[in-house]
Structure formats: C-alpha cells, structure tokens
Amino acid sequence: MAQTTKKSPKGTKKEKIFHPDSRKAGQLARKQLRKSKLAGQASKRAKLHSAKADFYGFFFHALPEEGVLTLPELHELVSDVWLTRNDTEIEEERAQRRKGRPKSTKELKLEEIKLREAEEYRTGMEVPDLTHPENVALYRKWDQKEVAFVQMLRCVRISSEKPDLVIVSKPGKYPSLATPRDVAMDDVPVLLDHSSNTDAMLS
C-alpha cells in the first residue's frame, strides 16, 4: 500500500522566532515601543481635543441671546454653573455608596476635577471673553466642530480672589479683535480693572 505524505499548503510561512538578545529582537521591541508611545500620544490628543471642545462648547451655549455679559455675570457663569456641573453626578455616587464603603473611582475623579478647577478659578482661570462685543459676534459663528476655530477667540483670565481684575491672556487672532492697546502691548498680558473703568475695558 502506497504511503501518502502530507505537504504543507503553499503560501504559509513559519513564524520566525528570534533570540531575546538578538539584534532583530531588539529592533522589533523598539518598533513595538514606538507604536505604543504613538498610540498613547494619539489617545492623549483625542482626550485633550474632547475636553477643549466640551469647555468651549459650554461657553458657546452660554452666549447671551443679545449683547454681551457683564463681568459679574461671567463670574457667576463660572462659579455657579461651570464649577458645579458635576455636582448631581457626585451626589448620585454618594447616594449609591453603602455606608462604610470606599468612594467609587468615578466619585473620586469627579471630586478631583471639582477641586482642581475651583483652585484654578481662585488663582486665575482662562475663559472666552464674553464681555467683548466683537468676540461674542465671532463666537456665534463657530460650528461647534472645528476646535481650531477657538484659537481665534479672545480669552481673559479671571479670578475669584480678585473679581474686578481681568487679564487678557489671548488677544485673539481675528483682525476685528485687535485693539490699539492690544497691539501696543503685543504679547504682554493686558490688565483690566473693571472696578475703575468698566466701559474702557469692554472696548
């Protein structure tokens, strides 16, 4: 009886195995490490993009139907709405937690965000300038998709410790936002004191 021999299917290749200390193994390890780093960077960029879109989206929806906000109204928007936006979820997590049980990861994360942002607001938080007519008019044109658009906006830094003090942190890259004072100061932050002359600062 004739014996039959099994042949390996054509096109199949044996997986090469390299010695851990070989040069090829080192090259593959470095390649894989680079891929992991790039994937991590891409993930960070996506999260940053999402966080920035959420932040500017919040202030976009807070734009007044007509006119602009006053500085006290801008402070109220930050302190009473933006900083408290996660309070309901925090309370829900606390209610669901049984007595004696540790806080959930979600609750800890939300509390950390709240504390970090409260401290940022105390020392100086950068927000879109909703007291500036041209800036508000430009902001209304945002499609809420292109995050690069917000780079053109004028931003100010406000603080809960010094509510009357405003620092123009970003004059804005749109021509209509440039004022003689901003141009003269170039990239130096402009300090605006609303307690002394409100009208001059909104120009």
Side-chain angles (χ1 to χ4, degrees):
M1 185 175 180
Q3 294 182 346
T4 57
T5 58
K6 293 183 179 180
K7 295 183 179 181
S8 300
K10 291 183 178 181
T12 59
K13 293 183 179 180
K14 291 184 178 180
E15 183 180 354
K16 293 184 178 180
I17 300 176
F18 301 98
H19 189 278
D21 296 329
S22 69
R23 181 180 177 184
K24 187 65 177 178
Q27 290 176 345
L28 291 174
R30 287 191 294 273
K31 186 176 181 181
Q32 185 60 40
L33 180 62
R34 183 171 181 273
K35 282 184 177 181
S36 298
K37 285 183 177 179
L38 290 174
Q41 290 172 357
S43 177
K44 286 182 180 179
R45 282 196 298 270
K47 289 180 180 178
L48 180 62
H49 184 282
S50 177
K52 184 176 288 188
D54 289 344
F55 180 77
Y56 282 96
F58 168 83
F59 285 93
F60 176 83
H61 289 291
L63 289 170
E65 294 183 5
E66 294 182 356
V68 298
L69 296 183
T70 62
L71 181 59
E73 287 173 337
L74 183 57
H75 272 288
E76 185 178 348
L77 177 63
V78 173
S79 62
D80 296 348
V81 186
W82 173 252
L83 295 182
T84 62
R85 69 192 186 282
N86 294 321
D87 284 3
T88 300
E89 286 189 80
I90 292 175
E91 289 302 323
E92 288 176 352
E93 288 295 313
R94 289 174 179 172
Q96 293 175 6
R97 176 162 39 95
R98 286 180 293 179
K99 189 176 181 179
R101 300 290 295 175
K103 295 180 180 180
S104 66
T105 302
K106 182 178 180 180
E107 184 180 348
L108 289 171
K109 184 177 180 180
L110 292 175
E111 288 182 341
E112 180 186 350
I113 291 173
K114 185 178 178 67
L115 289 173
R116 184 178 68 247
E117 292 179 344
E119 176 63 16
E120 183 184 359
Y121 177 46
R122 185 185 69 81
T123 57
M125 175 180 282
E126 184 177 84
V127 298
D129 189 356
L130 304 189
T131 69
H132 193 284
E134 286 79 8
N135 197 51
V136 170
L138 176 63
Y139 208 165
R140 294 186 196 281
K141 298 178 181 179
W142 185 36
D143 62 3
Q144 301 181 65
K145 297 178 182 179
E146 187 55 56
V147 178
F149 177 89
V150 301
Q151 299 300 323
M152 296 191 293
L153 297 174
R154 171 187 170 103
C155 291
V156 294
R157 196 174 295 278
I158 59 177
S159 164
S160 60
E161 280 195 338
K162 299 179 180 179
D164 293 325
L165 185 65
V166 178
I167 298 176
V168 179
S169 54
K170 293 178 182 177
K173 297 181 180 180
Y174 202 70
S176 67
L177 299 178
T179 65
R181 191 177 184 187
D182 291 337
V183 173
M185 295 296 290
D186 196 17
D187 292 330
V188 179
V190 181
L191 299 179
L192 306 180
D193 189 350
H194 278 246
S195 62
S196 60
N197 193 342
T198 304
D199 294 336
M201 272 159 296
L202 294 181
S203 61

